[in-house]
Amino acid sequence: MNPSEQRVQTVCLVLLTTIATGVTLYWLRPVMIPFVLALFVSLILSSIVEFQQRRLKLPRAAAMLATTVLAAFAFGLLALVISASVGQLTANSGAYNQQFALLLGQIVALVPENLRSLIPQTDVTHLTQMTARTVGGMLLGTTNAVLGVLSQSTLVLIFVIFLMLGGDSNRRASGVWGESEKRVKRYLVTKAAISAATGTLVYLTLALLGIDLALAFGLFAFLLNFIPSVGSIIATLLPLPVVIVSPEVSGTTAVLALVIPGSIQIVVGNILDPRIMGESLDLHPVVVLISLIFWGMLWGIAGALMAVPVTAVLKIVMEKFEGTRVIADVMAGRLDRWRSPEPA
């Protein structure tokens, strides 16, 4: 078998293996999602443990205890924020519906009189009620999607504790796993710091403008910033329904509530993020987009959050084997290496 046939056979086997693995991962998602989340969280927490040991000179046991308490507090705070946001949405739903009906009435008033008479009043009422339910459903659906991920926080925390206890900061991993751990840990820690700064700025902006659920939208900005490109757009547009239906929000405030967070996302995503992150994971943008679609289809919003680091680990593993190295180079966008030389 010549090299080209062997390469085609390898690609076909990888495709079949990918399909079989995808079916298995979809079937095992109730267990795999908390485990993979815990794996990435443990990488971030291990960096905190190492920092305390190296800089603060704490014993490993004390650093582990402090980090575990910090993780439990963070999980509890996230669940509390989401639960409070759902309660606030439910409590304000009546005021939101009234404001939306008022806005829709103002829009109908702009329609010429001869056309307005052709629209039955019952249709306008039904349209108002249906659209209000759609807006409220979209807000609650987005909130409940994140709440569904956080509802598994207990299982995630258990996994994190066992992963942390089973690790040894004094023994450095080597080989494929060591390189994967090093790259992914650097990516996760840096991305978490950038996302935290983004979420804080978005929260402060919306809070100063008096927008409801400012803390929840800041949390969403933090979480969605882990989803490249698409996440920043969603985080910017997410407050729009609340801004529209809030009675006390003026037109100028509504514009600022979209422009300022959007500017923050643009500056962070297009200027700071590339400068700080660099090519830490060495993935082509098209591969990142495909990974978002693939893992989002498998595991939903949790899969989209974990798509980039999971794909990076797969690429690092493929780099270490001759048969799959071509796929790793394609994932990095290095196609010139495998092109046949042009005849003289």
Side-chain angles (χ1 to χ4, degrees), residues 1-61:
M1 182 181 297
N2 58 48
S4 61
E5 291 178 348
Q6 185 178 9
R7 192 176 301 165
V8 171
Q9 185 182 43
T10 301
V11 172
C12 292
L13 289 174
V14 169
L15 289 176
L16 292 175
T17 304
T18 302
I19 294 173
T21 304
V23 173
T24 305
L25 291 175
Y26 181 80
W27 183 60
L28 294 175
R29 64 189 185 279
V31 176
M32 290 301 298
I33 290 176
F35 176 74
V36 178
L37 274 174
L39 185 61
F40 291 142
V41 171
S42 66
L43 288 177
I44 297 176
L45 296 181
S46 65
S47 299
I48 300 177
V49 172
E50 292 171 4
F51 174 82
Q52 294 179 77
Q53 290 183 274
R54 186 175 60 253
R55 300 292 184 181
L56 304 180
K57 306 300 181 181
L58 290 180
R60 176 171 173 78

Side-chain angles (χ1 to χ4, degrees), residues 184-254:
V184 174
K185 184 184 292 187
R186 182 170 63 247
Y187 169 82
L188 289 174
V189 172
T190 308
K191 194 68 174 179
I194 295 174
S195 300
T198 303
T200 302
L201 291 175
V202 170
Y203 160 67
L204 291 176
T205 299
L206 297 179
L208 291 175
L209 293 174
I211 305 299
D212 291 342
L213 308 176
L215 185 57
F217 290 132
L219 173 61
F220 286 141
F222 165 73
L223 294 175
L224 292 172
N225 200 52
F226 283 89
I227 304 177
S229 303
V230 180
S232 59
I233 297 175
I234 298 175
T236 301
L237 297 179
L238 203 56
L240 182 59
V242 170
V243 171
I244 291 176
V245 299
S246 295
E248 66 278 3
V249 176
S250 63
T252 303
T253 303

Side-chain angles (χ1 to χ4, degrees), residues 15-311:
L15 289 176
L16 292 175
T17 304
T18 302
I19 294 173
T21 304
V23 173
T24 305
L25 291 175
Y26 181 80
W27 183 60
L28 294 175
R29 64 189 185 279
V31 176
M32 290 301 298
I33 290 176
F35 176 74
V36 178
L37 274 174
L39 185 61
F40 291 142
V41 171
S42 66
L43 288 177
I44 297 176
L45 296 181
S46 65
S47 299
I48 300 177
V49 172
E50 292 171 4
F51 174 82
Q52 294 179 77
Q53 290 183 274
R54 186 175 60 253
R55 300 292 184 181
L56 304 180
K57 306 300 181 181
L58 290 180
R60 176 171 173 78
M64 284 283 296
L65 179 60
T67 305
T68 303
V69 172
L70 177 64
F73 175 78
F75 276 114
L77 182 62
L78 290 178
L80 182 63
V81 170
I82 298 298
S83 301
S85 301
V86 173
Q88 189 175 355
L89 277 175
T90 304
N92 296 342
S93 59
Y96 291 158
N97 289 339
Q98 292 178 2
Q99 178 65 12
F100 194 84
L102 178 62
L103 291 175
L104 190 58
Q106 294 174 352
I107 294 174
V108 172
L110 298 177
V111 178
E113 184 66 30
N114 56 344
L115 296 178
R116 196 188 316 163
S117 60
L118 301 177
I119 305 175
Q121 184 62 33
T122 55
D123 291 347
V124 176
T125 304
H126 291 160
L127 178 62
T128 302
Q129 295 174 350
M130 181 180 65
T131 312
R133 286 195 299 268
T134 302
V135 173
M138 181 171 60
L139 289 171
L140 288 175
T142 304
T143 304
N144 289 333
V146 179
L147 186 59
V149 176
L150 297 178
S151 64
Q152 300 176 327
S153 59
T154 302
L155 184 58
V156 172
L157 188 59
I158 292 174
F159 277 135
V160 167
I161 292 174
F162 279 100
L163 288 170
M164 296 289 291
L165 291 176
D168 185 0
S169 62
N170 297 320
R171 179 175 55 84
R172 298 292 181 181
S174 59
V176 176
W177 174 248
E179 184 177 352
S180 302
E181 181 180 353
K182 181 180 178 181
R183 288 194 196 177
V184 174
K185 184 184 292 187
R186 182 170 63 247
Y187 169 82
L188 289 174
V189 172
T190 308
K191 194 68 174 179
I194 295 174
S195 300
T198 303
T200 302
L201 291 175
V202 170
Y203 160 67
L204 291 176
T205 299
L206 297 179
L208 291 175
L209 293 174
I211 305 299
D212 291 342
L213 308 176
L215 185 57
F217 290 132
L219 173 61
F220 286 141
F222 165 73
L223 294 175
L224 292 172
N225 200 52
F226 283 89
I227 304 177
S229 303
V230 180
S232 59
I233 297 175
I234 298 175
T236 301
L237 297 179
L238 203 56
L240 182 59
V242 170
V243 171
I244 291 176
V245 299
S246 295
E248 66 278 3
V249 176
S250 63
T252 303
T253 303
V255 172
L256 292 176
L258 293 178
V259 171
I260 297 179
S263 302
I264 293 172
Q265 296 285 358
I266 290 174
V267 171
V268 172
N270 296 326
I271 299 177
L272 296 181
D273 210 340
R275 287 179 178 273
I276 297 175
M277 299 294 296
E279 300 293 335
S280 57
L281 296 181
D282 196 20
L283 292 173
H284 193 275
V286 175
V287 175
V288 173
L289 180 60
I290 294 174
S291 69
L292 289 177
I293 298 173
F294 176 77
W295 290 105
M297 291 173 59
L298 281 182
W299 291 349
I301 187 172
L305 291 172
M306 299 182 291
V308 174
V310 169
T311 306

